[in-house]
Amino acid sequence: MELLVRLGVALLVTASTLLILRWSAGFMRDDEAPRLAVMLVALVVGVSGVWVLFWLANEWVSRLPFRRARELLLPVVFVGPAVGLLLVYLVYPVLNTIYISFFDRKSDLFVGLDNYRFVFTDPNVQVAFRNNLIWLVVATSISIALGLLIAVLVDRIRLEAVAKSLIFLPVAISAVGASVIWRFVYAFQPAGRPQIGLLNALVVALGGDPVGWYLRPPWNNLALIVIMIWLQTG
């Protein structure tokens, strides 16, 4: 009797969960739905739905009559959802993007490699590629190198905890907070006006002209990379 009750509860919860997930998916795709309501539904259904799915999968697997089957399927129950999410949200979009890249966006006609010819010959896209490569190589390599160097050096000083705290502190700062801090570092005013930016105040004090750090390529790109290195080194 107890087994029938548990199976009935599992069936009821399974059916209810599938209906709720179907409704929530349609609700979150509705363009007229309030944004706040969509976020709340995504949060509540996402967190509770994952927990319920794990519980249901474990419940059904534990009811299998064969021990060997239970031992083989139980790891799949816990790993399966994560793998499924990776396939749906990472692998499928990549494959679908590759597929649609061979078609014209407006007419849906097959154009072969025409889109790729445009991408690799357009000057604006080439600048974007160059900037991405600079960020990938410079920001990543310097952040890792500085992090390793500092980790080795601070192990040999007395105030190790203080030094590590100072290096790690930027990691705990939000992107908004970092942008406010570095705004005052890079702030620019035309020559003859008071410079509230730290760097330009130093430049003017040394007899130079103020620099628009955000306005002069490629220095604007490097100025932003410095912020990323400062945030990630810790």
Side-chain angles (χ1 to χ4, degrees), residues 36-128:
L36 180 60
V38 171
M39 289 188 293
L40 291 176
V41 168
L43 180 63
V44 174
V45 175
V47 175
S48 60
V50 169
W51 181 85
V52 171
L53 289 176
F54 274 118
W55 177 81
L56 288 172
N58 182 71
E59 186 72 17
W60 287 112
V61 171
S62 63
R63 293 285 166 260
L64 293 176
F66 304 105
R67 179 182 176 183
R68 181 61 178 170
R70 293 198 301 268
E71 293 177 350
L72 291 174
L73 290 177
L74 199 57
V76 177
V77 167
F78 291 97
V79 178
V83 174
L85 290 174
L86 287 175
L87 291 175
V88 172
Y89 291 104
L90 289 179
V91 177
Y92 169 72
V94 170
L95 297 178
N96 187 57
T97 300
I98 294 174
Y99 170 75
I100 63 177
S101 67
F102 296 105
F103 294 84
D104 181 73
R105 181 175 64 88
K106 295 181 178 179
S107 62
D108 291 332
L109 295 176
F110 181 79
V111 294
L113 298 177
D114 287 352
N115 290 326
Y116 290 94
R117 293 191 189 97
F118 166 77
V119 165
F120 289 107
T121 57
D122 183 74
N124 294 324
V125 179
Q126 289 178 351
V127 171

Side-chain angles (χ1 to χ4, degrees), residues 142-148 150 167 171 228-234:
I142 293 180
S143 296
I144 294 175
L146 278 179
L148 291 173
I150 294 171
I167 298 301
V171 180
M228 180 60 66
I229 294 173
W230 179 74
L231 284 171
Q232 297 299 320
T233 296

Side-chain angles (χ1 to χ4, degrees), residues 2-232:
E2 181 182 355
L3 178 60
L4 292 176
V5 171
R6 295 193 64 174
L7 288 175
V9 171
L11 284 171
L12 180 62
V13 174
T14 301
S16 302
T17 302
L18 293 176
L19 290 174
I20 292 174
L21 290 175
R22 180 181 178 183
W23 170 83
S24 62
F27 180 79
M28 289 186 290
R29 287 198 300 265
D30 187 359
D31 294 334
E32 298 181 358
R35 296 297 95 186
L36 180 60
V38 171
M39 289 188 293
L40 291 176
V41 168
L43 180 63
V44 174
V45 175
V47 175
S48 60
V50 169
W51 181 85
V52 171
L53 289 176
F54 274 118
W55 177 81
L56 288 172
N58 182 71
E59 186 72 17
W60 287 112
V61 171
S62 63
R63 293 285 166 260
L64 293 176
F66 304 105
R67 179 182 176 183
R68 181 61 178 170
R70 293 198 301 268
E71 293 177 350
L72 291 174
L73 290 177
L74 199 57
V76 177
V77 167
F78 291 97
V79 178
V83 174
L85 290 174
L86 287 175
L87 291 175
V88 172
Y89 291 104
L90 289 179
V91 177
Y92 169 72
V94 170
L95 297 178
N96 187 57
T97 300
I98 294 174
Y99 170 75
I100 63 177
S101 67
F102 296 105
F103 294 84
D104 181 73
R105 181 175 64 88
K106 295 181 178 179
S107 62
D108 291 332
L109 295 176
F110 181 79
V111 294
L113 298 177
D114 287 352
N115 290 326
Y116 290 94
R117 293 191 189 97
F118 166 77
V119 165
F120 289 107
T121 57
D122 183 74
N124 294 324
V125 179
Q126 289 178 351
V127 171
F129 281 149
R130 183 201 65 191
N131 290 338
N132 275 276
L133 185 61
I134 292 174
W135 273 78
L136 179 64
V137 175
V138 177
T140 304
S141 59
I142 293 180
S143 296
I144 294 175
L146 278 179
L148 291 173
L149 178 62
I150 294 171
V152 173
L153 292 177
V154 296
D155 280 337
R156 305 183 182 185
I157 62 177
R158 290 184 178 180
L159 302 177
E160 176 184 345
V162 176
K164 287 183 176 179
S165 299
L166 292 175
I167 298 301
F168 185 75
L169 188 61
V171 180
I173 297 176
S174 67
V176 176
S179 65
V180 172
I181 293 171
W182 284 89
R183 177 186 178 187
F184 289 105
V185 174
Y186 290 137
F188 165 77
Q189 293 291 337
R193 299 181 60 180
Q195 300 296 325
I196 63 172
L198 176 61
L199 288 181
N200 277 321
L202 292 174
V203 170
V204 172
L206 294 174
D209 294 325
V211 179
W213 305 99
Y214 290 143
L215 306 176
R216 292 188 179 181
W219 305 113
N220 55 351
N221 206 19
L222 295 176
L224 295 175
I225 290 176
V226 168
I227 301 175
M228 180 60 66
I229 294 173
W230 179 74
L231 284 171
Q232 297 299 320

